Amino acid sequence: MTEEQFLQDTWVKLSEVAVNGAEYNSRERQPHPKCLEGTRVDLLTYIYELLDDPDKNRLIWLHGTAGVGKESAVAFTGDRAD
């Protein structure tokens, strides 16, 4: 199996267990939460650096307790990519 096929199969498997409505740009989650200006600057800079470097892994695992802003950071990052 090629690396490309392995990655494709991995995304297919992940999509089978994804929670409906939790995917990026879901209508069920409009409007998306946003980061307040000046907050999470270090985290967002770190994420942008990873995403902008083609030699780095683009799978980022955000973890933390409820309410710390994981979803806001993801939505904010996704808006930048649009």
Side-chain angles (χ1 to χ4, degrees), residues 15-77:
S15 71
E16 292 170 355
V17 295
V19 176
N20 288 332
E23 62 274 355
Y24 172 70
N25 232 7
S26 170
R27 290 182 182 159
E28 296 178 37
R29 302 287 301 159
Q30 297 289 337
H32 291 297
K34 303 287 184 196
C35 294
L36 297 174
E37 186 175 336
T39 62
R40 299 179 189 85
V41 173
D42 292 338
L43 173 62
L44 293 171
T45 300
Y46 176 73
I47 291 171
Y48 296 152
E49 286 173 359
L50 288 175
L51 295 176
D52 291 340
D53 187 343
D55 295 330
K56 299 229 174 167
N57 189 340
R58 295 206 173 134
L59 178 64
I60 301 168
W61 186 279
L62 292 179
H63 59 91
T65 57
V68 297
K70 298 176 300 288
E71 185 177 354
S72 296
V74 169
F76 197 85
T77 303

